[in-house]
Every structure is written in structure tokens, then in C-alpha cells.
Amino acid sequence: MDENKSITYDDLIQTRNTQILKSIVPFLDVPTQKPLAMLIQLMEWKNATAAFSRQENSMAACSLPAGTKRRDAMLSAVRKYCTPKEQEMIDTIQTLFCIMENQDLFHNP
């Protein structure tokens, strides 16, 4: 798997078919939208159940390259969907964590 591509929950549960159905929903009449939306949710629930039932969990196996810290990887993944102000806050949090880790190294050689 390409190490630069992160795997998200949506990658596991959304299929081409669910994406097609989602794109159709806004064009249907209101009484038809709800049953189709429920069907889509059911399909995604089924896919999620299947994904987490497999022995090899794709997200756990491929989402982090060796040596990557989970916290940093999680914050980086979330950062993509944040506003510039929220991204700045995430950057500050990551900097604080880095300072705290370096301080631990300094005090506990």
C-alpha cells in the first residue's frame, strides 16, 4: 500500500455503489429520500460490521507506517478537515507535545 495514502473509516465502509446512491438522494422526491437514505446507512453498517469482523483489520494494518506515533498521525489526519484556525490550534498542540517529550528526554537521560 502507498505509505502516503491514509486509510479512513469511510474508505472501509463506503463503496462505489453507496457513493452513487448518495449522489442520487437530492434528486428524489422527499418521501423517497428517507427510505433510500436508510438503505444507504444499512449498507454502510453492513460494510462496517464486515470490515471489523475480518481477522486482518485494514485500518490497523496499513494506516500507520512503522515508527509513526499514533497521536501525531491522528492529529495530522484530522488537520486536513479543519479550518485554518483549527489547524493552527492542532499545530500548537503538536508543538507542545514535542516540547514535553524533549523536556522528558532532558530530565530523564
Side-chain angles (χ1 to χ4, degrees):
M1 169 159 277
D2 183 7
E3 287 187 20
N4 294 327
K5 182 182 182 334
S6 62
I7 294 180
T8 66
Y9 178 71
D10 284 341
D11 293 332
L12 289 178
I13 65 167
Q14 291 184 357
T15 64
R16 186 175 150 275
N17 293 336
T18 58
Q19 289 299 100
I20 290 170
L21 291 173
K22 285 180 179 183
S23 66
I24 293 171
V25 171
F27 299 99
L28 299 175
D29 59 334
V30 175
T32 309
Q33 288 178 342
K34 184 177 179 181
L36 182 57
M38 299 279 78
L39 173 64
I40 293 166
Q41 292 296 306
L42 180 62
M43 292 169 69
E44 290 180 337
W45 179 80
K46 181 182 170 197
N47 293 342
T49 302
F52 287 102
S53 295
R54 286 193 292 266
Q55 195 73 319
E56 78 294 339
N57 183 332
S58 299
M59 286 198 323
C62 301
S63 61
L64 296 176
T68 302
K69 295 180 183 176
R70 283 189 184 279
R71 180 190 64 225
D72 294 338
M74 179 188 67
L75 289 172
S76 293
V78 168
R79 190 179 187 282
K80 296 178 208 173
Y81 303 102
C82 294
T83 65
K85 185 72 173 166
E86 292 166 335
Q87 289 177 350
E88 186 179 316
M89 187 181 298
I90 287 174
D91 293 342
T92 300
I93 290 168
Q94 286 183 303
T95 301
L96 288 172
F97 280 134
C98 184
I99 290 169
M100 289 171 22
E101 288 170 1
N102 288 334
Q103 188 175 22
D104 284 346
L105 287 173
F106 181 71
H107 290 304
N108 300 321

